[in-house]
Amino acid sequence: MSSIEVTTFTYQHGDLDLQGYMAQPSRYPRAGILLVPTIAGPNKLMMDRARWLASLGYATMVCDLYGQGEITDMRKSRALADALRADPEYYRARFRCALDELRDRSGLANNRIAAIGYCMGGEIVLEMARSGEDLALVVSFHGLLGTPLPAKKGAIKARLLVCHGRADPLVPPKQVRAFLEEMDLAGADCHMHIYSGVVHGFTDPESDNRPLDAVAYNESADRQSKAAMLSMFEELF
């Protein structure tokens, strides 16, 4: 096993400076992974997961959302998220820059790159897929499933894995049905794993410390969703 190299750096979206964090094996990465964090932005959990993926052989970059690093004030992060989502094309472009940065830094081709995201990050990677980004795989963990720009037929190039809590109040059954219909109409290769009784934020152990009924950690769903992702990685990479 090669050692892990960790770097931090600045990249740009227009005039905005964004902070990247990359963990990768020192030799021969199996693939590149863009890791898109929750609405709170890049935090220790996301960086820990990047290093874990690097230990398995994947060059993993944690991207920035707003150019402000981690946001601990939920009201502030919601306001920043709402402003970013206001222009759907600009929203997608913010993370196209991150993909370009990952491709440059990893030296890997598009067919060796996946994008994974948590919460808002899950929403973002699905937007990448809808926009036709040339990716091998997109994985959404408790991501929002709605979009103002539904995928057109044949537009989605990536395979998709969506890990969803059945009791997530932020993603009601109507949104799930609309998403699945959208994927069918688009002709997407989409796997959806649904965990009964599980709410939002099920991959984050800190969810239980937040004063929100909508979020809670679920050890089994966290473990099973990780296993599903790694199984897809093994199949593709």
Side-chain angles (χ1 to χ4, degrees):
M1 170 69 74
S2 61
S3 60
I4 295 172
E5 298 176 351
V6 173
T7 56
T8 57
F9 50 89
T10 300
Y11 64 105
Q12 282 76 36
H13 179 205
D15 295 331
L16 180 65
D17 287 342
L18 300 162
Q19 300 304 310
Y21 176 94
M22 193 155 183
Q24 57 186 327
S26 58
R27 299 177 63 195
Y28 312 126
R30 300 174 65 184
I33 311 296
L34 182 68
L35 193 162
V36 188
T38 73
I39 193 171
N43 60 15
K44 182 179 182 297
L45 177 63
M46 299 294 101
M47 294 171 189
D48 287 347
R49 292 199 171 166
R51 292 193 297 274
W52 167 65
L53 287 167
S55 75
L56 300 178
Y58 301 100
T60 306
M61 173 182 160
V62 181
C63 68
D64 198 351
L65 298 187
Y66 321 112
Q68 300 187 32
E70 181 182 5
I71 307 294
T72 57
D73 183 336
M74 184 57 69
R75 289 174 296 182
K76 181 178 179 180
S77 64
R78 285 174 177 162
L80 289 167
D82 289 345
L84 184 55
R85 289 180 175 124
D87 181 340
E89 292 292 358
Y90 181 82
Y91 187 35
R92 291 177 174 183
R94 170 68 50 86
F95 302 99
R96 197 171 296 124
C97 295
L99 273 176
D100 290 344
E101 191 73 21
L102 171 62
R103 290 178 181 124
D104 288 346
R105 289 180 176 275
S106 68
L108 292 159
N110 294 340
N111 63 0
R112 306 294 294 179
I113 289 180
I116 71 173
Y118 299 82
C119 182
M120 183 177 173
E123 174 187 69
I124 289 163
V125 298
L126 292 175
E127 289 299 305
M128 291 179 186
R130 288 174 169 117
S131 67
E133 289 294 335
D134 191 7
L135 295 164
L137 176 68
V138 157
V139 184
S140 169
F141 298 94
H142 45 86
L144 307 184
L145 304 180
T147 181
L149 297 174
K152 297 179 180 179
K153 186 175 181 179
I156 296 178
K157 300 174 183 177
R159 295 183 70 180
L160 288 85
L161 171 63
V162 177
C163 300
H164 169 66
R166 178 71 175 84
D168 187 342
L170 304 184
V171 186
K174 182 179 180 180
Q175 190 177 128
V176 175
R177 289 193 297 270
F179 172 76
L180 292 173
E181 289 171 3
E182 178 195 358
M183 293 300 104
D184 286 344
L185 290 171
D189 183 347
C190 180
H191 293 203
M192 189 167 196
H193 294 201
I194 297 178
Y195 308 105
S196 178
V198 173
V199 296
H200 198 71
F202 61 79
T203 63
D204 184 357
E206 290 299 315
S207 289
D208 291 342
N209 297 326
R210 298 188 175 98
L212 298 169
D213 293 337
V215 299
Y217 179 62
N218 186 285
E219 183 178 2
S220 178
D222 183 23
R223 183 174 60 250
Q224 295 299 328
S225 60
K226 283 178 184 172
M229 176 183 70
L230 293 180
S231 178
M232 292 288 277
F233 284 0
E234 287 294 328
E235 186 172 324
L236 290 168
F237 303 132

